[in-house]
Amino acid sequence: MMNKEHLLIFFSDFLMARGIERTDEALLNFNFVASGLLDSFEVLSMIMELELISGVKLTPLQLVDEKNATVFGLVSTILESL
């Protein structure tokens, strides 16, 4: 069963693989859209992997919601959708 810890590990690993390291606190607040550190293809890849591992299909409205541009927001949305 997917939980917050699993999702945070996913984000940490995904970002670290791209040379983006964050402390636990900074990870929650990391805005992957505004930072410019991930290009659109990487964001799409991240979303697709998240959907695959969580079993949650994010809606177009969820994808454009500004609160889901942060790790905390997206984790919350996924957990609410389980």
Side-chain angles (χ1 to χ4, degrees), residues 12-22 37-38 42:
S12 182
D13 291 349
F14 186 90
L15 294 171
M16 195 177 304
R18 286 146 184 85
I20 305 167
E21 293 188 42
R22 296 286 183 263
L37 297 174
L38 296 175
E42 289 171 317

Side-chain angles (χ1 to χ4, degrees), residues 2 8 16 24 37 39 43 56 69 80-81:
M2 184 60 50
L8 292 177
M16 195 177 304
D24 288 345
L37 297 174
D39 64 27
V43 172
V56 171
E80 290 167 7
S81 299

